Amino acid sequence: AKGYALFLIAGISGYIQFILRQVFLFAVLMSSTARCLSYTKLEEESPLRLIDSERKLNPEWPMSGKIEFSKVSMRYREDLDFVIKKISFAIESGEKVACVGRTGSGKSSLIQIIFRMVEIGEGNVYLDGVDTKSIGLHTLRRNIGIIPQTPFIFSGSVRKNIDPFDNFSDEEVWSALKEVELDESVKEFPQGLNSEIGVSNVSFSSGQKQLLCLCRAILNKYKVLILDEATSNVDFETDRMIQKVIRNKFVKSTVFCIAHRITTIADYEKVLVVADGTVGEIGAPYELLVKNIGDKKITNEEGHFANLVKNTGVKTAAHIFSIAKEYYMKRNI
Ligand code: ATP
Ligand code: MG
């Protein structure tokens, strides 16, 4: 009888393996079911189109490109603290505003708010006097140009990345490429504009990716352009080129630029210093650096912006000051 029992056990061990396998396989398959179920419980995004309120909208909207924040508060989740706290400021039509502030102060969050990637808790954001809450997400996002902090490239040809909806001619695409001085590199690709990105030597550095985004913005002639400058992965040349194109090609557009290198924005019309989710300071760079107009060095010792400039070192600070002063005098006298 003992021999028979041993014989049976030996037979079962095969089954145990089989059963365990089935149990684990079932668990793996069910986890994808569970994920699908959890997706159905996600909060739905707002409508992409709002036919009723958009019928009243001018098809050319936004015409002037004025942006206004009115007592806006935002937090990323219900259980977190507010990262933007009752912020109010206005950017006039055609103004070039640089946004600066310590890391984590909430600069990128302002962009999330403009594009409604995160819905605001309180307050209103107006674009050309129209509350952005009252229009569909597609209509809103299609009309604002963005160059993100970390740009991404779609798989597909160079041309598809610059002009995804085939709205422009090859000549127009080439002239936009020339504008950002990428035309030479694209000409060297095996099939020019139609080269597939990622295949045989067709690739872009992250600085060049930002320039491709800029190309897209040039073609679409956005009235509002938003730029989140890359913190470290863009070299000085790319930086300079982006700023040059902004000055030449977006003369009438409103530009909101999150800047990490103050040297590049010293000639901007206005600086917005974000401090811990609020407006630290806003004004012309020169005005923020001095106590009295006419001063020949940084005299506003307590100023947020003055301290940011001073932190760049004596030499750079003096350079920034002279640019800021020169452009202030040009504009106001
Ligand atoms: P940087 O100069 O480093 O780009 P920033 O000024 O752009 O900084 P934000 O990215 O706006 O800063 O972040 C502001 C605050 O919001 C930070 O305290 C950050 O931890 C928090 N935060 C940012 N993104 C999220 C998120 N997706 N979920 C939760 N909190 C976030
Ligand atoms: Mg950021």
Side-chain angles (χ1 to χ4, degrees):
K2 273 184 197 158
Y4 188 59
L6 278 175
F7 171 74
L8 282 179
I9 288 169
I12 285 174
S13 71
Y15 283 114
I16 292 178
Q17 257 188 14
F18 174 75
I19 291 168
L20 281 179
R21 217 181 100 82
Q22 291 299 314
V23 168
F24 286 130
L25 201 64
F26 180 71
V28 168
L29 288 174
M30 275 333 232
S31 79
S32 40
T33 315
R35 188 167 301 159
C36 285
L37 275 177
S38 73
Y39 283 157
T40 63
K41 288 192 198 108
L42 277 182
E43 225 175 283
E44 213 173 308
E45 228 187 9
S46 310
L48 300 176
R49 285 274 150 70
L50 283 171
I51 306 294
D52 274 346
S53 58
E54 282 177 23
R55 199 172 296 145
K56 286 176 241 145
L57 205 66
N58 187 323
E60 298 279 304
W61 178 87
M63 303 252 284
S64 81
K66 179 177 167 155
I67 305 172
E68 195 181 346
F69 275 63
S70 165
K71 297 200 187 111
V72 175
S73 298
M74 186 274 270
R75 55 184 162 189
Y76 281 93
R77 279 203 318 269
E78 286 291 310
D79 53 327
L80 295 175
D81 290 337
F82 282 99
V83 289
I84 297 294
K85 300 155 192 166
K86 289 214 161 69
I87 207 167
S88 299
F89 63 90
I91 302 176
E92 298 303 324
S93 164
E95 220 167 32
K96 312 282 178 283
V97 177
C99 177
V100 297
R102 304 241 311 258
T103 175
S105 56
K107 303 182 296 296
S108 299
S109 305
L110 292 180
I111 296 187
Q112 306 262 8
I113 292 173
I114 295 177
F115 280 91
R116 285 176 62 201
M117 305 304 282
V118 189
E119 297 287 354
I120 52 180
E122 302 157 29
N124 305 86
V125 179
Y126 301 97
L127 186 51
D128 258 27
V130 178
D131 192 333
T132 54
K133 246 182 266 174
S134 73
I135 46 182
L137 290 179
H138 264 176
T139 316
L140 172 70
R141 293 175 186 165
R142 248 218 333 254
N143 286 299
I144 310 174
I146 174 119
I147 299 168
Q149 200 163 16
T150 44
F152 42 77
I153 294 285
F154 308 105
S155 62
S157 65
V158 180
R159 197 181 195 296
K160 267 265 170 301
N161 268 282
I162 302 174
D163 175 23
F165 304 113
D166 273 326
N167 290 333
F168 304 97
S169 70
D170 276 9
E171 288 75 50
E172 287 172 303
V173 175
W174 276 116
S175 90
L177 277 170
K178 203 176 163 67
E179 227 44 81
V180 298
E181 295 174 28
L182 272 183
D183 53 333
E184 293 300 324
S185 355
V186 175
K187 265 179 204 152
E188 272 163 32
F189 292 156
Q191 286 137 323
L193 275 184
N194 295 318
S195 313
E196 293 285 315
I197 292 178
V199 187
S200 67
N201 296 332
V202 182
S203 65
F204 292 101
S205 70
S206 43
Q208 287 177 318
K209 285 179 193 168
Q210 281 208 320
L211 293 177
L212 277 188
C213 291
L214 191 57
C215 257
R216 214 180 294 156
I218 293 174
L219 282 172
N220 285 291
K221 302 190 179 71
Y222 290 114
K223 203 79 199 72
V224 179
L225 180 68
I226 292 176
L227 202 132
D228 201 345
E229 214 175 63
T231 329
S232 55
N233 52 5
V234 167
D235 57 281
F236 186 74
E237 265 308 293
T238 313
D239 217 10
R240 187 193 55 80
M241 178 116 55
I242 291 178
Q243 296 299 335
K244 193 183 92 189
V245 170
I246 287 177
R247 261 157 223 138
N248 298 337
K249 286 277 146 187
F250 295 92
V251 179
K252 296 226 170 93
S253 305
T254 306
V255 177
F256 186 68
C257 170
I258 296 184
H260 294 279
R261 265 187 279 243
I262 300 176
T263 327
T264 53
I265 53 94
D267 62 338
Y268 267 53
E269 284 159 281
K270 249 190 203 172
V271 171
L272 166 70
V273 186
V274 181
D276 195 21
T278 60
V279 176
E281 278 171 342
I282 185 164
Y286 176 69
E287 284 174 346
L288 300 181
L289 291 175
V290 294
K291 276 235 165 70
N292 303 301
I293 300 298
D295 290 354
K296 293 195 169 56
K297 60 179 182 42
I298 300 175
T299 47
N300 187 13
E301 301 296 333
E302 268 92 70
H304 290 274
F305 186 59
N307 280 305
L308 282 172
V309 172
K310 274 200 253 169
N311 282 342
T312 60
V314 180
K315 228 176 127 191
T316 318
H319 180 56
I320 294 170
F321 182 84
S322 67
I323 300 175
K325 182 159 183 270
E326 180 193 334
Y327 277 86
Y328 182 82
M329 294 306 170
K330 256 191 215 166
R331 287 195 187 103
N332 293 284
I333 289 166

